[in-house]
Amino acid sequence: MKRIGPVLMLMLLAAPALVQAQAWPSRPVRWIIPFPPGGASDIVSRMVANDLGVKWGQPVVIDNRPGAGGTIATADLVRSAGDHTIMTGTAGTHGIAPNLYRNLSFNIERDLTPVVMMVRVPMVLVSSPALASPKMADLVKVLQANPGKYAFASPGSGTLNHLMAEMFVVAAKASGMTHVPYKGSVAAYPDLASGRTQIMFDQLAGVLPFIRKGSLVPIATSHASAQLPDTPTMAAAGFPGFDLALWVGVFASSSMPPAVVGKISSDVAEVLKAPEMVRRLDEMSSEVTAMPNKAFAPFFRSELVRWQQAIRNAKVVIE
């Protein structure tokens, strides 16, 4: 009897998983988004989901589940624990919120698998047009001279936007600013434009249309942007340490078979690298990363450590 060599043995052992991945998806895929419709992360996810549906020959059904910094959506994914449910995750929902919210029903490292990072999006500090000057120095003077008078908006407690604003309040010595959380960025814009709130950190991709029509005023960006060439970076405006971009990725339950995780990662990357997709995302100031699972997983773990320290330094607490 001939012995089976080690390479052939590995191929035989891997064959069932490969067949499973090739046959996936066998039914519609549910894609959970932890934000309301209309924000940058939602738009990017929908664009990718649409093209994946064509590629897979199965519908990709979007399910928006906003609230509690994304922890409601994440808990939903963990409960689903199936191989046909995935979700959008960001620096805020998956890097910050697990370090900020207490008594969660899940362990983010144990229960979730990072699948692929899709894009990075610069952040921008915007102000209400009701504040006279678009310059950082003037903004800081106004905030410092009126402790307790002004408020900053965010798309929800525990988001990247929220934490960056808390860090800014500390760095600018703007004591007494009130945090006003909304259910998503789009919901925050009207009050910000009218002057009911005064400042907000948001994704450039989402807020850019409102800047262009004059509803909101750009003060500084996290990274230099061709879309806002006359707006300084936070560092250039006197606030180093704010070079924080929103990353947007895809996550799955840890119960999802590795071969299926690999397939999704590869297919999402293929969709993202299509010339028309790159062009559309570039118009939104979104940088395609298409970071595969093997690179995204250690990056994600490093983000958890990074934001844990940042939260301690900013002394942010969610009750």
Side-chain angles (χ1 to χ4, degrees):
M1 180 182 292
K2 292 184 178 180
R3 292 185 177 180
I4 298 176
V7 174
L8 180 56
M9 178 61 74
L10 289 173
M11 291 175 65
L12 290 172
L13 291 173
L18 294 174
V19 170
Q20 181 185 29
Q22 289 171 356
W24 190 96
S26 58
R27 60 180 186 272
V29 176
R30 178 178 174 229
W31 187 325
I32 303 170
I33 300 178
F35 307 101
S41 300
D42 175 78
I43 293 170
V44 170
S45 299
R46 287 173 182 271
M47 288 167 59
V48 174
N50 181 72
D51 288 3
L52 285 175
V54 175
K55 180 176 179 61
W56 289 339
Q58 289 283 356
V60 179
V61 181
I62 298 298
D63 185 2
N64 293 89
R65 298 295 307 276
T71 58
I72 292 173
T74 302
D76 188 359
L77 175 69
V78 172
R79 284 194 302 271
S80 300
D83 63 357
H84 280 70
T85 302
I86 57 178
M87 79 172 292
T88 298
T90 69
T93 61
H94 286 58
I96 295 171
N99 284 308
L100 200 54
Y101 284 83
R102 301 173 183 176
N103 303 316
L104 295 175
S105 63
F106 58 85
N107 180 299
I108 195 98
E109 291 187 85
R110 180 195 65 209
D111 297 329
L112 265 65
T113 295
V115 177
V116 57
M117 184 199 294
M118 297 187 289
V119 298
R120 284 194 185 97
V121 185
M123 301 292 287
V124 57
L125 172 62
V126 292
S127 73
S128 168
L131 294 179
S133 174
K135 296 188 180 299
M136 177 70 85
D138 294 333
L139 172 65
V140 171
K141 287 179 182 177
V142 168
L143 298 179
Q144 290 178 344
N146 297 275
K149 180 179 179 180
Y150 295 124
F152 66 86
S154 84
S157 297
T159 57
L160 174 63
N161 320 54
H162 172 204
L163 194 61
M164 288 185 72
E166 294 280 9
M167 293 165 63
F168 175 72
V169 167
V170 172
K173 299 178 181 178
S175 61
M177 288 198 76
T178 302
H179 173 218
V180 182
Y182 293 80
K183 291 185 177 181
S185 293
V186 175
Y189 295 154
D191 282 355
L192 189 59
S194 68
R196 292 177 182 171
T197 57
Q198 283 68 47
I199 63 170
M200 178 179 177
F201 280 90
D202 201 19
Q203 304 98 316
L204 180 55
V207 80
L208 191 58
F210 297 88
I211 291 173
R212 285 175 171 164
K213 65 183 181 182
S215 300
L216 300 173
V217 179
I219 302 296
T221 57
S222 61
H223 300 75
S225 171
Q227 306 288 349
L228 295 175
D230 298 325
T231 302
T233 63
M234 289 291 292
F239 288 85
F242 284 80
D243 52 341
L244 305 170
L246 175 81
W247 52 260
V248 182
V250 178
F251 287 77
S253 165
S254 57
S255 64
M256 180 173 280
V260 175
V261 170
K263 175 181 172 59
I264 299 172
S265 180
S266 176
D267 288 351
V268 170
E270 183 180 328
V271 163
L272 286 167
K273 292 176 182 178
E276 178 62 14
M277 179 68 78
V278 171
R279 183 192 67 78
R280 291 168 65 194
L281 289 171
D282 184 62
E283 289 179 350
M284 294 173 58
S285 299
S286 299
E287 173 199 356
V288 173
T289 54
M291 184 185 292
N293 164 260
K294 289 184 179 179
F296 187 29
F299 170 84
F300 170 60
R301 289 192 293 270
S302 72
E303 282 286 276
L304 288 171
V305 174
R306 174 189 190 179
W307 286 112
Q308 182 182 59
Q309 188 60 52
I311 288 166
R312 287 175 180 170
N313 292 342
K315 298 179 180 178
V316 179
V317 177
I318 298 292
E319 297 296 341

